[in-house]
Amino acid sequence: MQVDLKTGLLRGVRQVASPNFDSRPAGVAADLIVVHGISLPPGEFGGPWIDRLFTNSLPAEVHPYFAEVGELRVSAHLVVNRDGAVTQYVSFAERAWHAGKSEYQGREACNDFSVGVELEGTDTLAYDAAQYAALAEVVAALCAAYPRLSPDRLVGHSDIAPGRKTDPGPAFDWPHARRLIDAACAPRTRG
Ligand SMILES: [Zn+2]
């Protein structure tokens, strides 16, 4: 997995262009990776619904929850499905709209300086092994491409919006994720 630095897109992954992004503030580059959990409708996996949410085409009549969230203008840079498949919606060079009101180490508006990665899942159901593997590859590719990113610049949405957001939730196994990420990043940092 590799980032094309000209476009800010991951080579070889599915691309779906979301209109829900804008420019990062002048001179600001991503130095934080935010891990999220998402499922649409809540607790259900598969289907086109995350694509549809991020492209402002979620059909309100399909599920009551869709009527609630369908008017939101949101996105993430990446989504990792249950089977580990990765889709990119926004270039890493641009600001995706995933974190909302948030703060990390005294800096507000984390969308300005972060990459948002959504894992298809819920707070309480174990994430799939394929998702941890894909996340580790993604983080390694990001760290190789962008020097301000590193394995220790990885947080959960709940860490930057405590009291408001709970994802990726207690189901996300941070020690396991960090082991895989460290292993995936190690060969590159040695070189
Ligand atoms: Zn989130």
Side-chain angles (χ1 to χ4, degrees):
M1 212 176 263
Q2 196 179 33
V3 177
D4 179 338
L5 281 171
K6 279 203 205 76
T7 59
L9 302 180
L10 266 180
R11 293 199 175 100
V13 312
R14 180 173 169 263
Q15 300 284 336
V16 174
S18 170
N20 301 334
F21 71 91
D22 53 10
S23 298
R24 298 186 187 279
V28 173
D31 61 23
L32 187 70
I33 300 170
V34 180
V35 177
H36 301 258
I38 188 173
S39 59
L40 286 175
E44 293 183 30
F45 304 138
W49 310 127
I50 300 173
D51 281 3
R52 300 288 293 268
L53 177 65
F54 289 174
T55 54
N56 305 332
S57 57
L58 197 61
E61 68 279 8
V62 169
H63 191 281
Y65 185 70
F66 292 178
E68 262 178 61
V69 298
E71 296 302 312
L72 299 176
R73 293 293 171 259
V74 291
S75 63
H77 293 93
L78 301 176
V79 169
V80 181
N81 289 119
R82 298 299 290 180
D83 64 359
V86 177
T87 302
Q88 182 162 12
Y89 296 85
V90 174
S91 163
F92 303 122
E94 308 285 1
R95 175 169 60 187
W97 301 343
H98 56 96
K101 185 173 163 50
S102 51
E103 181 180 331
Y104 183 67
Q105 293 181 340
R107 296 156 75 197
E108 294 189 343
C110 296
N111 284 343
D112 289 358
F113 56 90
S114 67
V115 170
V117 181
E118 298 270 5
L119 305 180
E120 190 181 20
T122 72
D123 285 6
T124 52
L125 181 73
Y127 289 86
D128 196 279
Q131 294 181 290
Y132 289 102
L135 178 65
E137 272 194 65
V138 162
V139 172
L142 285 168
C143 293
Y146 301 106
R148 301 177 70 114
L149 294 173
S150 65
D152 57 353
R153 304 287 300 172
L154 186 77
V155 296
H157 198 186
S158 55
D159 297 318
I160 59 169
R164 192 175 73 82
K165 292 291 178 179
T166 58
D167 61 303
F172 186 72
D173 185 344
W174 283 99
H176 178 58
R178 291 194 187 284
R179 273 195 301 277
L180 292 187
I181 288 165
D182 285 345
C185 293
R188 297 176 191 254
T189 52
R190 272 205 303 273

